Amino acid sequence: MSDHEAIDVHCHFFPIRIFKKLSKKYNKFNLDIKSEGDLVNIRINIGNIRYSGTVKGGFLDFDKLIKDSLTKHKIIRIISIAPISFFYELDIEIADELYREFNNLASELSEKYKDIVSFMAGIPLQDPSKAIEELKRAIIDLGLKGVAIGTNVVGKNLDHPTLRKFFIEANRLNVPIFLHPAYVAAKSRLKRYYLTNIIGNPLDTTIAVGSLIFSGLLDQLSNLKFVLAHGGGFFPYQLGRFEHGYHVREETKFKAKQSPKYYLRHFYFDTILHDKEALNFLIRQVGPEKIIMGSDYPFDMGYDNPVDVIESLELAGNIKNMILIENAIKLFKLE
């Protein structure tokens, strides 16, 4: 661990062998790939989920992902399945099989490249009972380091009663949960200009955080810890509005025992903000001990050099090291 300069908690992989198998079982799956040097132009349809764009070759080729992790800085990646492949719309039998295969592959790759990568599990959250079974298998038997889930489950907010037993189990296992936007709200109004990503992603993260805080779930399950993508969405920058709402609106007090600032202890925030002043504000707002480096590899909305982003900040060396490596080691219990 000491030989590495940073840990990246926001990195995606799309295991092509699994999705080729998917295409034989699910007629709403389509994948077109065109290589362009070190980049890949992809067009993906999985049910109602669509993505098209140019990504780094490591999205599909794990050897390239490893190479990219060591090219400029030595970066340990904590990898999660791409949000375009959360599978929440699939039949549970297909989704469960695919998640099991992904988690098995994640365990194999974690062992093969144990000094370079770790993985977060994927789970079929459309069926919380199946999700719990796979979560336990992935964490206890396979040794994965966390779990990645969507900010909603095909329109169900995270305070939905059917999801409660999943969070109870995650709390019992004391496993970090990476929240990544998917199936974002107001999608029908965000179709143009790539607003589904630019606005939709941080919006949906903010809805997820509000649902967790005001539902009282965090009062009951004190071990829950969440990593929030894209600097926490709009939440850190509207925390004052959350606080004010709690003090003047009765609807916010029905279940939550504390005001929103109290629950910051449950959240960690990645660094993907694309603005130095916004990142400096985030660090001041939530504290450097809550900030963890992210890249959003291999997508164009991420950072090519996430370490340089942290190094460019006017922070003390020990604070930079917290953000680059120490906070992630503590949260994900890395050796």
Side-chain angles (χ1 to χ4, degrees), residues 78-104:
I78 304 179
I79 301 168
S80 54
I81 198 166
I84 53 177
S85 45
F86 273 150
F87 307 138
Y88 293 161
E89 291 180 298
L90 274 63
D91 293 339
I92 185 59
E93 293 78 10
I94 297 173
D96 191 41
E97 179 183 356
L98 288 163
Y99 276 122
R100 288 178 66 86
E101 291 201 20
F102 173 81
N103 292 333
N104 289 342

Side-chain angles (χ1 to χ4, degrees), residues 1 7 78 145 174 176 225 268 289 292 322 325-335:
M1 188 70 69
I7 299 174
I78 304 179
K145 296 299 184 179
N174 198 16
K225 297 179 182 66
Y268 293 77
E289 71 280 1
I292 305 180
M322 287 172 62
I325 193 164
E326 290 177 4
N327 293 340
I329 290 175
K330 291 177 184 177
L331 178 61
F332 288 93
K333 302 180 179 67
L334 303 177
E335 298 177 0

Side-chain angles (χ1 to χ4, degrees), residues 154-256:
V154 197
K156 290 181 181 178
N157 283 341
L158 296 184
D159 63 338
H160 195 278
T162 60
L163 301 176
R164 180 178 173 78
K165 59 184 179 181
F166 159 73
F167 287 117
I168 290 173
E169 186 60 27
N171 181 76
R172 187 185 72 81
L173 293 172
N174 198 16
V175 57
I177 302 171
F178 178 41
L179 292 185
H180 197 290
Y183 310 95
V184 299
K187 191 172 182 179
S188 63
R189 295 177 57 203
L190 301 175
K191 291 179 179 179
R192 301 175 70 182
Y193 319 121
Y194 204 47
L195 295 184
T196 49
N197 185 291
I198 294 170
I199 294 175
N201 277 5
L203 171 63
D204 223 71
T205 295
T206 308
I207 294 171
V209 173
S211 298
L212 292 168
I213 287 175
F214 293 122
S215 68
L217 190 72
L218 302 179
D219 293 304
Q220 301 152 15
L221 304 174
S222 59
N223 288 333
L224 288 180
K225 297 179 182 66
F226 299 89
V227 177
L228 303 180
H230 317 120
F234 302 128
F235 170 58
Y237 322 97
Q238 292 293 330
L239 180 56
R241 189 172 182 83
F242 274 64
E243 282 285 303
H244 182 76
Y246 181 81
H247 291 294
V248 302
R249 298 298 306 188
E250 288 301 317
E251 299 96 323
T252 64
K253 302 185 187 69
F254 288 154
K255 296 181 179 180

Side-chain angles (χ1 to χ4, degrees), residues 29-34 40-45 51 53 60:
F29 174 88
N30 182 263
L31 173 63
D32 293 324
I33 305 171
K34 292 181 180 178
V40 178
N41 191 279
I42 60 173
R43 185 180 298 274
I44 300 169
N45 294 333
Y51 177 82
L60 305 172

